[in-house]
PDB file of all heavy atoms in Angstrom:
ATOM      1  N   ALA D 114      -3.068  -3.125  -3.865  1.00 75.00           N
ATOM      2  CA  ALA D 114      -4.224  -2.684  -3.090  1.00 75.00           C
ATOM      3  C   ALA D 114      -4.753  -1.392  -3.686  1.00 75.00           C
ATOM      4  O   ALA D 114      -4.112  -0.753  -4.521  1.00 75.00           O
ATOM      5  CB  ALA D 114      -3.831  -2.487  -1.625  1.00 75.00           C
ATOM      6  N   LYS D 115      -5.919  -1.003  -3.247  1.00 71.00           N
ATOM      7  CA  LYS D 115      -6.464   0.274  -3.703  1.00 71.00           C
ATOM      8  C   LYS D 115      -5.574   1.408  -3.245  1.00 71.00           C
ATOM      9  O   LYS D 115      -4.885   1.310  -2.229  1.00 71.00           O
ATOM     10  CB  LYS D 115      -7.882   0.465  -3.159  1.00 71.00           C
ATOM     11  CG  LYS D 115      -8.905  -0.499  -3.761  1.00 71.00           C
ATOM     12  CD  LYS D 115     -10.285  -0.218  -3.229  1.00 71.00           C
ATOM     13  CE  LYS D 115     -11.315  -1.160  -3.851  1.00 71.00           C
ATOM     14  NZ  LYS D 115     -12.673  -0.912  -3.333  1.00 71.00           N
ATOM     15  N   ALA D 116      -5.583   2.476  -4.008  1.00 56.00           N
ATOM     16  CA  ALA D 116      -4.754   3.631  -3.664  1.00 56.00           C
ATOM     17  C   ALA D 116      -5.108   4.124  -2.271  1.00 56.00           C
ATOM     18  O   ALA D 116      -6.286   4.247  -1.916  1.00 56.00           O
ATOM     19  CB  ALA D 116      -4.969   4.750  -4.679  1.00 56.00           C
ATOM     20  N   PRO D 117      -4.114   4.397  -1.416  1.00 50.00           N
ATOM     21  CA  PRO D 117      -4.367   4.830  -0.049  1.00 50.00           C
ATOM     22  C   PRO D 117      -4.895   6.259  -0.006  1.00 50.00           C
ATOM     23  O   PRO D 117      -4.869   6.981  -0.995  1.00 50.00           O
ATOM     24  CB  PRO D 117      -2.985   4.756   0.608  1.00 50.00           C
ATOM     25  CG  PRO D 117      -2.047   5.006  -0.531  1.00 50.00           C
ATOM     26  CD  PRO D 117      -2.684   4.365  -1.735  1.00 50.00           C
ATOM     27  N   LYS D 118      -5.382   6.635   1.149  1.00 46.00           N
ATOM     28  CA  LYS D 118      -5.811   8.016   1.337  1.00 46.00           C
ATOM     29  C   LYS D 118      -4.606   8.937   1.216  1.00 46.00           C
ATOM     30  O   LYS D 118      -3.489   8.553   1.527  1.00 46.00           O
ATOM     31  CB  LYS D 118      -6.466   8.177   2.720  1.00 46.00           C
ATOM     32  CG  LYS D 118      -7.776   7.416   2.852  1.00 46.00           C
ATOM     33  CD  LYS D 118      -8.379   7.656   4.222  1.00 46.00           C
ATOM     34  CE  LYS D 118      -9.710   6.908   4.332  1.00 46.00           C
ATOM     35  NZ  LYS D 118     -10.325   7.116   5.667  1.00 46.00           N
ATOM     36  N   PRO D 119      -4.823  10.167   0.751  1.00 47.00           N
ATOM     37  CA  PRO D 119      -3.689  11.091   0.588  1.00 47.00           C
ATOM     38  C   PRO D 119      -2.898  11.273   1.870  1.00 47.00           C
ATOM     39  O   PRO D 119      -3.465  11.394   2.952  1.00 47.00           O
ATOM     40  CB  PRO D 119      -4.366  12.395   0.164  1.00 47.00           C
ATOM     41  CG  PRO D 119      -5.655  11.963  -0.450  1.00 47.00           C
ATOM     42  CD  PRO D 119      -6.083  10.748   0.341  1.00 47.00           C
ATOM     43  N   ILE D 120      -1.567  11.279   1.729  1.00 46.00           N
ATOM     44  CA  ILE D 120      -0.668  11.462   2.864  1.00 46.00           C
ATOM     45  C   ILE D 120       0.212  12.660   2.566  1.00 46.00           C
ATOM     46  O   ILE D 120       0.933  12.682   1.567  1.00 46.00           O
ATOM     47  CB  ILE D 120       0.214  10.225   3.090  1.00 46.00           C
ATOM     48  CG1 ILE D 120      -0.672   9.000   3.322  1.00 46.00           C
ATOM     49  CG2 ILE D 120       1.157  10.434   4.268  1.00 46.00           C
ATOM     50  CD1 ILE D 120       0.110   7.712   3.407  1.00 46.00           C
ATOM     51  N   GLY D 121       0.136  13.657   3.396  1.00 48.00           N
ATOM     52  CA  GLY D 121       0.979  14.826   3.203  1.00 48.00           C
ATOM     53  C   GLY D 121       0.447  15.706   2.084  1.00 48.00           C
ATOM     54  O   GLY D 121      -0.708  15.602   1.649  1.00 48.00           O
ATOM     55  N   GLU D 122       1.268  16.558   1.569  1.00 46.00           N
ATOM     56  CA  GLU D 122       0.879  17.525   0.557  1.00 46.00           C
ATOM     57  C   GLU D 122       0.608  16.835  -0.774  1.00 46.00           C
ATOM     58  O   GLU D 122       1.404  16.072  -1.281  1.00 46.00           O
ATOM     59  CB  GLU D 122       1.996  18.562   0.384  1.00 46.00           C
ATOM     60  CG  GLU D 122       1.604  19.686  -0.563  1.00 46.00           C
ATOM     61  CD  GLU D 122       2.718  20.711  -0.672  1.00 46.00           C
ATOM     62  OE1 GLU D 122       3.729  20.560   0.028  1.00 46.00           O
ATOM     63  OE2 GLU D 122       2.543  21.654  -1.450  1.00 46.00           O
ATOM     64  N   ASN D 123      -0.559  17.098  -1.341  1.00 46.00           N
ATOM     65  CA  ASN D 123      -0.962  16.535  -2.637  1.00 46.00           C
ATOM     66  C   ASN D 123      -1.008  15.011  -2.637  1.00 46.00           C
ATOM     67  O   ASN D 123      -0.924  14.387  -3.688  1.00 46.00           O
ATOM     68  CB  ASN D 123      -0.024  17.005  -3.758  1.00 46.00           C
ATOM     69  CG  ASN D 123      -0.080  18.517  -3.929  1.00 46.00           C
ATOM     70  OD1 ASN D 123      -1.157  19.108  -3.753  1.00 46.00           O
ATOM     71  ND2 ASN D 123       1.037  19.122  -4.237  1.00 46.00           N
ATOM     72  N   GLY D 124      -1.111  14.420  -1.434  1.00 43.00           N
ATOM     73  CA  GLY D 124      -1.190  12.964  -1.374  1.00 43.00           C
ATOM     74  C   GLY D 124       0.083  12.280  -1.751  1.00 43.00           C
ATOM     75  O   GLY D 124       0.071  11.119  -2.137  1.00 43.00           O
ATOM     76  N   LEU D 125       1.219  12.965  -1.655  1.00 44.00           N
ATOM     77  CA  LEU D 125       2.508  12.392  -2.016  1.00 44.00           C
ATOM     78  C   LEU D 125       3.358  12.177  -0.784  1.00 44.00           C
ATOM     79  O   LEU D 125       3.194  12.849   0.227  1.00 44.00           O
ATOM     80  CB  LEU D 125       3.242  13.306  -2.997  1.00 44.00           C
ATOM     81  CG  LEU D 125       2.529  13.509  -4.349  1.00 44.00           C
ATOM     82  CD1 LEU D 125       3.293  14.532  -5.164  1.00 44.00           C
ATOM     83  CD2 LEU D 125       2.423  12.212  -5.102  1.00 44.00           C
ATOM     84  N   VAL D 126       4.268  11.224  -0.872  1.00 45.00           N
ATOM     85  CA  VAL D 126       5.135  10.880   0.244  1.00 45.00           C
ATOM     86  C   VAL D 126       6.567  11.211  -0.125  1.00 45.00           C
ATOM     87  O   VAL D 126       7.036  10.835  -1.209  1.00 45.00           O
ATOM     88  CB  VAL D 126       5.016   9.377   0.587  1.00 45.00           C
ATOM     89  CG1 VAL D 126       5.932   9.051   1.756  1.00 45.00           C
ATOM     90  CG2 VAL D 126       3.574   9.026   0.917  1.00 45.00           C
ATOM     91  N   GLU D 127       7.266  11.921   0.743  1.00 44.00           N
ATOM     92  CA  GLU D 127       8.661  12.224   0.500  1.00 44.00           C
ATOM     93  C   GLU D 127       9.512  10.971   0.710  1.00 44.00           C
ATOM     94  O   GLU D 127       9.360  10.273   1.698  1.00 44.00           O
ATOM     95  CB  GLU D 127       9.144  13.320   1.456  1.00 44.00           C
ATOM     96  CG  GLU D 127       8.589  14.702   1.128  1.00 44.00           C
ATOM     97  CD  GLU D 127       9.212  15.284  -0.127  1.00 44.00           C
ATOM     98  OE1 GLU D 127      10.300  14.796  -0.511  1.00 44.00           O
ATOM     99  OE2 GLU D 127       8.612  16.177  -0.726  1.00 44.00           O
ATOM    100  N   CYS D 128      10.384  10.670  -0.209  1.00 44.00           N
ATOM    101  CA  CYS D 128      11.245   9.491  -0.094  1.00 44.00           C
ATOM    102  C   CYS D 128      12.589   9.801  -0.741  1.00 44.00           C
ATOM    103  O   CYS D 128      12.695   9.859  -1.967  1.00 44.00           O
ATOM    104  CB  CYS D 128      10.596   8.283  -0.768  1.00 44.00           C
ATOM    105  SG  CYS D 128      11.571   6.789  -0.653  1.00 44.00           S
ATOM    106  N   ARG D 129      13.624  10.032   0.092  1.00 46.00           N
ATOM    107  CA  ARG D 129      14.971  10.313  -0.397  1.00 46.00           C
ATOM    108  C   ARG D 129      14.979  11.488  -1.373  1.00 46.00           C
ATOM    109  O   ARG D 129      15.575  11.457  -2.445  1.00 46.00           O
ATOM    110  CB  ARG D 129      15.577   9.080  -1.062  1.00 46.00           C
ATOM    111  CG  ARG D 129      15.798   7.936  -0.084  1.00 46.00           C
ATOM    112  CD  ARG D 129      16.493   6.774  -0.767  1.00 46.00           C
ATOM    113  NE  ARG D 129      16.709   5.677   0.167  1.00 46.00           N
ATOM    114  CZ  ARG D 129      17.269   4.519  -0.161  1.00 46.00           C
ATOM    115  NH1 ARG D 129      17.681   4.320  -1.401  1.00 46.00           N
ATOM    116  NH2 ARG D 129      17.436   3.572   0.742  1.00 46.00           N
ATOM    117  N   GLY D 130      14.254  12.543  -1.001  1.00 43.00           N
ATOM    118  CA  GLY D 130      14.249  13.750  -1.819  1.00 43.00           C
ATOM    119  C   GLY D 130      13.323  13.685  -3.012  1.00 43.00           C
ATOM    120  O   GLY D 130      13.177  14.654  -3.740  1.00 43.00           O
ATOM    121  N   GLU D 131      12.681  12.544  -3.253  1.00 39.00           N
ATOM    122  CA  GLU D 131      11.772  12.429  -4.367  1.00 39.00           C
ATOM    123  C   GLU D 131      10.382  12.159  -3.835  1.00 39.00           C
ATOM    124  O   GLU D 131      10.193  11.694  -2.706  1.00 39.00           O
ATOM    125  CB  GLU D 131      12.198  11.291  -5.306  1.00 39.00           C
ATOM    126  CG  GLU D 131      13.571  11.516  -5.935  1.00 39.00           C
ATOM    127  CD  GLU D 131      13.935  10.370  -6.846  1.00 39.00           C
ATOM    128  OE1 GLU D 131      13.136   9.418  -6.919  1.00 39.00           O
ATOM    129  OE2 GLU D 131      14.992  10.434  -7.484  1.00 39.00           O
ATOM    130  N   GLN D 132       9.388  12.456  -4.645  1.00 38.00           N
ATOM    131  CA  GLN D 132       8.007  12.229  -4.262  1.00 38.00           C
ATOM    132  C   GLN D 132       7.461  11.052  -5.060  1.00 38.00           C
ATOM    133  O   GLN D 132       7.634  10.969  -6.265  1.00 38.00           O
ATOM    134  CB  GLN D 132       7.163  13.477  -4.524  1.00 38.00           C
ATOM    135  CG  GLN D 132       7.475  14.633  -3.571  1.00 38.00           C
ATOM    136  CD  GLN D 132       6.537  15.788  -3.806  1.00 38.00           C
ATOM    137  OE1 GLN D 132       6.120  16.034  -4.919  1.00 38.00           O
ATOM    138  NE2 GLN D 132       6.196  16.478  -2.746  1.00 38.00           N
ATOM    139  N   ARG D 133       6.783  10.163  -4.374  1.00 41.00           N
ATOM    140  CA  ARG D 133       6.195   9.023  -5.058  1.00 41.00           C
ATOM    141  C   ARG D 133       4.946   8.605  -4.312  1.00 41.00           C
ATOM    142  O   ARG D 133       4.790   8.871  -3.115  1.00 41.00           O
ATOM    143  CB  ARG D 133       7.169   7.835  -5.116  1.00 41.00           C
ATOM    144  CG  ARG D 133       7.523   7.269  -3.771  1.00 41.00           C
ATOM    145  CD  ARG D 133       8.425   6.046  -3.914  1.00 41.00           C
ATOM    146  NE  ARG D 133       8.800   5.522  -2.620  1.00 41.00           N
ATOM    147  CZ  ARG D 133       8.053   4.680  -1.889  1.00 41.00           C
ATOM    148  NH1 ARG D 133       6.876   4.314  -2.351  1.00 41.00           N
ATOM    149  NH2 ARG D 133       8.471   4.235  -0.722  1.00 41.00           N
ATOM    150  N   LEU D 134       4.049   7.968  -4.996  1.00 43.00           N
ATOM    151  CA  LEU D 134       2.851   7.437  -4.363  1.00 43.00           C
ATOM    152  C   LEU D 134       3.190   6.136  -3.652  1.00 43.00           C
ATOM    153  O   LEU D 134       3.884   5.294  -4.189  1.00 43.00           O
ATOM    154  CB  LEU D 134       1.761   7.175  -5.418  1.00 43.00           C
ATOM    155  CG  LEU D 134       1.060   8.419  -5.975  1.00 43.00           C
ATOM    156  CD1 LEU D 134       0.166   8.018  -7.135  1.00 43.00           C
ATOM    157  CD2 LEU D 134       0.252   9.123  -4.901  1.00 43.00           C
ATOM    158  N   ARG D 135       2.679   5.984  -2.467  1.00 45.00           N
ATOM    159  CA  ARG D 135       2.901   4.748  -1.725  1.00 45.00           C
ATOM    160  C   ARG D 135       1.840   3.740  -2.137  1.00 45.00           C
ATOM    161  O   ARG D 135       0.652   3.981  -2.015  1.00 45.00           O
ATOM    162  CB  ARG D 135       2.812   5.021  -0.216  1.00 45.00           C
ATOM    163  CG  ARG D 135       3.035   3.771   0.637  1.00 45.00           C
ATOM    164  CD  ARG D 135       2.723   4.026   2.096  1.00 45.00           C
ATOM    165  NE  ARG D 135       3.586   5.047   2.644  1.00 45.00           N
ATOM    166  CZ  ARG D 135       3.389   5.600   3.849  1.00 45.00           C
ATOM    167  NH1 ARG D 135       2.359   5.234   4.570  1.00 45.00           N
ATOM    168  NH2 ARG D 135       4.212   6.520   4.300  1.00 45.00           N
ATOM    169  N   ARG D 136       2.301   2.585  -2.624  1.00 63.00           N
ATOM    170  CA  ARG D 136       1.385   1.537  -3.036  1.00 63.00           C
ATOM    171  C   ARG D 136       1.746   0.245  -2.314  1.00 63.00           C
ATOM    172  O   ARG D 136       2.906  -0.119  -2.214  1.00 63.00           O
ATOM    173  CB  ARG D 136       1.466   1.299  -4.550  1.00 63.00           C
ATOM    174  CG  ARG D 136       1.042   2.471  -5.395  1.00 63.00           C
ATOM    175  CD  ARG D 136      -0.396   2.888  -5.111  1.00 63.00           C
ATOM    176  NE  ARG D 136      -1.330   1.828  -5.390  1.00 63.00           N
ATOM    177  CZ  ARG D 136      -1.872   1.616  -6.590  1.00 63.00           C
ATOM    178  NH1 ARG D 136      -1.551   2.375  -7.617  1.00 63.00           N
ATOM    179  NH2 ARG D 136      -2.747   0.636  -6.766  1.00 63.00           N
ATOM    180  N   GLU D 137       0.736  -0.453  -1.838  1.00 74.00           N
ATOM    181  CA  GLU D 137       0.932  -1.740  -1.178  1.00 74.00           C
ATOM    182  C   GLU D 137       0.262  -2.816  -2.010  1.00 74.00           C
ATOM    183  O   GLU D 137      -0.670  -2.551  -2.759  1.00 74.00           O
ATOM    184  CB  GLU D 137       0.304  -1.726   0.220  1.00 74.00           C
ATOM    185  CG  GLU D 137       1.021  -0.898   1.249  1.00 74.00           C
ATOM    186  CD  GLU D 137       0.333  -0.979   2.595  1.00 74.00           C
ATOM    187  OE1 GLU D 137      -0.873  -0.680   2.664  1.00 74.00           O
ATOM    188  OE2 GLU D 137       0.984  -1.368   3.577  1.00 74.00           O
ATOM    189  N   SER D 138       0.747  -4.035  -1.860  1.00 79.00           N
ATOM    190  CA  SER D 138       0.033  -5.145  -2.485  1.00 79.00           C
ATOM    191  C   SER D 138      -1.163  -5.503  -1.620  1.00 79.00           C
ATOM    192  O   SER D 138      -1.228  -5.161  -0.438  1.00 79.00           O
ATOM    193  CB  SER D 138       0.956  -6.348  -2.641  1.00 79.00           C
ATOM    194  OG  SER D 138       1.230  -6.926  -1.373  1.00 79.00           O
ATOM    195  N   LEU D 139      -2.111  -6.168  -2.239  1.00 80.00           N
ATOM    196  CA  LEU D 139      -3.328  -6.545  -1.529  1.00 80.00           C
ATOM    197  C   LEU D 139      -3.015  -7.464  -0.350  1.00 80.00           C
ATOM    198  O   LEU D 139      -3.633  -7.362   0.718  1.00 80.00           O
ATOM    199  CB  LEU D 139      -4.292  -7.235  -2.497  1.00 80.00           C
ATOM    200  CG  LEU D 139      -5.721  -7.460  -2.011  1.00 80.00           C
ATOM    201  CD1 LEU D 139      -6.407  -6.130  -1.753  1.00 80.00           C
ATOM    202  CD2 LEU D 139      -6.499  -8.267  -3.036  1.00 80.00           C
ATOM    203  N   VAL D 140      -2.032  -8.345  -0.543  1.00 83.00           N
ATOM    204  CA  VAL D 140      -1.656  -9.277   0.524  1.00 83.00           C
ATOM    205  C   VAL D 140      -1.010  -8.543   1.695  1.00 83.00           C
ATOM    206  O   VAL D 140      -1.232  -8.886   2.857  1.00 83.00           O
ATOM    207  CB  VAL D 140      -0.704 -10.353  -0.036  1.00 83.00           C
ATOM    208  CG1 VAL D 140      -0.111 -11.190   1.079  1.00 83.00           C
ATOM    209  CG2 VAL D 140      -1.435 -11.240  -1.027  1.00 83.00           C
ATOM    210  N   GLU D 141      -0.203  -7.520   1.397  1.00 80.00           N
ATOM    211  CA  GLU D 141       0.432  -6.754   2.469  1.00 80.00           C
ATOM    212  C   GLU D 141      -0.592  -5.996   3.293  1.00 80.00           C
ATOM    213  O   GLU D 141      -0.451  -5.871   4.513  1.00 80.00           O
ATOM    214  CB  GLU D 141       1.446  -5.772   1.873  1.00 80.00           C
ATOM    215  CG  GLU D 141       2.696  -6.430   1.321  1.00 80.00           C
ATOM    216  CD  GLU D 141       3.623  -5.433   0.663  1.00 80.00           C
ATOM    217  OE1 GLU D 141       3.135  -4.384   0.197  1.00 80.00           O
ATOM    218  OE2 GLU D 141       4.832  -5.708   0.611  1.00 80.00           O
ATOM    219  N   LYS D 142      -1.614  -5.503   2.637  1.00 80.00           N
ATOM    220  CA  LYS D 142      -2.622  -4.708   3.343  1.00 80.00           C
ATOM    221  C   LYS D 142      -3.610  -5.583   4.103  1.00 80.00           C
ATOM    222  O   LYS D 142      -4.078  -5.215   5.183  1.00 80.00           O
ATOM    223  CB  LYS D 142      -3.371  -3.834   2.339  1.00 80.00           C
ATOM    224  CG  LYS D 142      -4.241  -2.765   2.990  1.00 80.00           C
ATOM    225  CD  LYS D 142      -4.752  -1.793   1.957  1.00 80.00           C
ATOM    226  CE  LYS D 142      -5.553  -0.673   2.634  1.00 80.00           C
ATOM    227  NZ  LYS D 142      -6.056   0.307   1.641  1.00 80.00           N
ATOM    228  N   HIS D 143      -3.918  -6.746   3.547  1.00 82.00           N
ATOM    229  CA  HIS D 143      -4.895  -7.653   4.178  1.00 82.00           C
ATOM    230  C   HIS D 143      -4.264  -9.050   4.255  1.00 82.00           C
ATOM    231  O   HIS D 143      -4.467  -9.888   3.370  1.00 82.00           O
ATOM    232  CB  HIS D 143      -6.192  -7.691   3.383  1.00 82.00           C
ATOM    233  CG  HIS D 143      -6.815  -6.346   3.154  1.00 82.00           C
ATOM    234  ND1 HIS D 143      -7.438  -5.629   4.147  1.00 82.00           N
ATOM    235  CD2 HIS D 143      -6.870  -5.575   2.029  1.00 82.00           C
ATOM    236  CE1 HIS D 143      -7.889  -4.483   3.666  1.00 82.00           C
ATOM    237  NE2 HIS D 143      -7.554  -4.425   2.384  1.00 82.00           N
ATOM    238  N   ALA D 144      -3.519  -9.291   5.316  1.00 84.00           N
ATOM    239  CA  ALA D 144      -2.783 -10.556   5.441  1.00 84.00           C
ATOM    240  C   ALA D 144      -3.713 -11.757   5.519  1.00 84.00           C
ATOM    241  O   ALA D 144      -3.306 -12.877   5.172  1.00 84.00           O
ATOM    242  CB  ALA D 144      -1.880 -10.516   6.674  1.00 84.00           C
ATOM    243  N   VAL D 145      -4.958 -11.550   5.956  1.00 91.00           N
ATOM    244  CA  VAL D 145      -5.883 -12.677   6.078  1.00 91.00           C
ATOM    245  C   VAL D 145      -6.134 -13.344   4.728  1.00 91.00           C
ATOM    246  O   VAL D 145      -6.467 -14.544   4.668  1.00 91.00           O
ATOM    247  CB  VAL D 145      -7.215 -12.205   6.712  1.00 91.00           C
ATOM    248  CG1 VAL D 145      -7.977 -11.285   5.764  1.00 91.00           C
ATOM    249  CG2 VAL D 145      -8.079 -13.385   7.110  1.00 91.00           C
ATOM    250  N   ILE D 146      -5.942 -12.592   3.634  1.00 92.00           N
ATOM    251  CA  ILE D 146      -6.181 -13.150   2.300  1.00 92.00           C
ATOM    252  C   ILE D 146      -5.262 -14.338   2.040  1.00 92.00           C
ATOM    253  O   ILE D 146      -5.667 -15.325   1.415  1.00 92.00           O
ATOM    254  CB  ILE D 146      -5.966 -12.060   1.227  1.00 92.00           C
ATOM    255  CG1 ILE D 146      -7.047 -10.991   1.360  1.00 92.00           C
ATOM    256  CG2 ILE D 146      -5.979 -12.655  -0.177  1.00 92.00           C
ATOM    257  CD1 ILE D 146      -6.858  -9.814   0.437  1.00 92.00           C
ATOM    258  N   ILE D 147      -4.036 -14.266   2.525  1.00 94.00           N
ATOM    259  CA  ILE D 147      -3.085 -15.344   2.259  1.00 94.00           C
ATOM    260  C   ILE D 147      -3.484 -16.614   2.998  1.00 94.00           C
ATOM    261  O   ILE D 147      -3.248 -17.728   2.514  1.00 94.00           O
ATOM    262  CB  ILE D 147      -1.642 -14.922   2.627  1.00 94.00           C
ATOM    263  CG1 ILE D 147      -0.629 -15.697   1.755  1.00 94.00           C
ATOM    264  CG2 ILE D 147      -1.330 -15.121   4.084  1.00 94.00           C
ATOM    265  CD1 ILE D 147      -0.692 -15.359   0.302  1.00 94.00           C
ATOM    266  N   TYR D 148      -4.126 -16.476   4.159  1.00 95.00           N
ATOM    267  CA  TYR D 148      -4.586 -17.661   4.891  1.00 95.00           C
ATOM    268  C   TYR D 148      -5.783 -18.298   4.177  1.00 95.00           C
ATOM    269  O   TYR D 148      -5.882 -19.530   4.100  1.00 95.00           O
ATOM    270  CB  TYR D 148      -4.961 -17.280   6.317  1.00 95.00           C
ATOM    271  CG  TYR D 148      -3.805 -16.718   7.108  1.00 95.00           C
ATOM    272  CD1 TYR D 148      -3.713 -15.363   7.380  1.00 95.00           C
ATOM    273  CD2 TYR D 148      -2.780 -17.539   7.574  1.00 95.00           C
ATOM    274  CE1 TYR D 148      -2.647 -14.838   8.098  1.00 95.00           C
ATOM    275  CE2 TYR D 148      -1.709 -17.030   8.283  1.00 95.00           C
ATOM    276  CZ  TYR D 148      -1.647 -15.674   8.544  1.00 95.00           C
ATOM    277  OH  TYR D 148      -0.581 -15.163   9.239  1.00 95.00           O
ATOM    278  N   ILE D 149      -6.666 -17.451   3.671  1.00 95.00           N
ATOM    279  CA  ILE D 149      -7.800 -17.969   2.897  1.00 95.00           C
ATOM    280  C   ILE D 149      -7.297 -18.679   1.647  1.00 95.00           C
ATOM    281  O   ILE D 149      -7.755 -19.777   1.302  1.00 95.00           O
ATOM    282  CB  ILE D 149      -8.763 -16.827   2.529  1.00 95.00           C
ATOM    283  CG1 ILE D 149      -9.359 -16.211   3.793  1.00 95.00           C
ATOM    284  CG2 ILE D 149      -9.868 -17.333   1.605  1.00 95.00           C
ATOM    285  CD1 ILE D 149     -10.184 -14.961   3.535  1.00 95.00           C
ATOM    286  N   TYR D 150      -6.333 -18.051   0.972  1.00 95.00           N
ATOM    287  CA  TYR D 150      -5.760 -18.682  -0.217  1.00 95.00           C
ATOM    288  C   TYR D 150      -5.072 -19.997   0.145  1.00 95.00           C
ATOM    289  O   TYR D 150      -5.177 -20.979  -0.598  1.00 95.00           O
ATOM    290  CB  TYR D 150      -4.759 -17.742  -0.893  1.00 95.00           C
ATOM    291  CG  TYR D 150      -3.988 -18.427  -1.995  1.00 95.00           C
ATOM    292  CD1 TYR D 150      -4.562 -18.618  -3.245  1.00 95.00           C
ATOM    293  CD2 TYR D 150      -2.695 -18.924  -1.786  1.00 95.00           C
ATOM    294  CE1 TYR D 150      -3.873 -19.285  -4.258  1.00 95.00           C
ATOM    295  CE2 TYR D 150      -2.002 -19.579  -2.785  1.00 95.00           C
ATOM    296  CZ  TYR D 150      -2.595 -19.761  -4.020  1.00 95.00           C
ATOM    297  OH  TYR D 150      -1.924 -20.420  -5.014  1.00 95.00           O
ATOM    298  N   GLY D 151      -4.370 -20.019   1.272  1.00 94.00           N
ATOM    299  CA  GLY D 151      -3.681 -21.231   1.685  1.00 94.00           C
ATOM    300  C   GLY D 151      -4.625 -22.413   1.818  1.00 94.00           C
ATOM    301  O   GLY D 151      -4.327 -23.522   1.361  1.00 94.00           O
ATOM    302  N   PHE D 152      -5.777 -22.168   2.431  1.00 96.00           N
ATOM    303  CA  PHE D 152      -6.756 -23.253   2.594  1.00 96.00           C
ATOM    304  C   PHE D 152      -7.351 -23.644   1.242  1.00 96.00           C
ATOM    305  O   PHE D 152      -7.440 -24.830   0.901  1.00 96.00           O
ATOM    306  CB  PHE D 152      -7.870 -22.819   3.548  1.00 96.00           C
ATOM    307  CG  PHE D 152      -8.863 -23.896   3.850  1.00 96.00           C
ATOM    308  CD1 PHE D 152      -8.612 -24.829   4.849  1.00 96.00           C
ATOM    309  CD2 PHE D 152     -10.048 -23.999   3.131  1.00 96.00           C
ATOM    310  CE1 PHE D 152      -9.531 -25.840   5.133  1.00 96.00           C
ATOM    311  CE2 PHE D 152     -10.963 -25.001   3.401  1.00 96.00           C
ATOM    312  CZ  PHE D 152     -10.709 -25.920   4.409  1.00 96.00           C
TER     313      PHE D 152
END
């Protein structure tokens, strides 16, 4: 999916002491796409 809006400081997310950008797949963000694809 497109990069999300910044979260927290500098748009980074704390994860187990490390900083990383949170990225989702297009299907995870817009579940309706999988139904359209199914048809």
Side-chain angles (χ1 to χ4, degrees):
K115 292 183 179 179
K118 293 182 179 180
I120 302 174
E122 186 178 357
N123 298 325
L125 297 175
V126 180
E127 288 288 341
C128 181
R129 295 184 180 178
E131 298 180 357
Q132 290 185 327
R133 64 177 178 84
L134 286 172
R135 180 189 298 170
R136 296 301 299 273
E137 288 181 305
S138 71
L139 192 63
V140 170
E141 289 176 334
K142 192 170 184 179
H143 305 287
V145 68
I146 293 175
I147 208 66
Y148 299 105
I149 297 173
Y150 171 79
F152 184 84

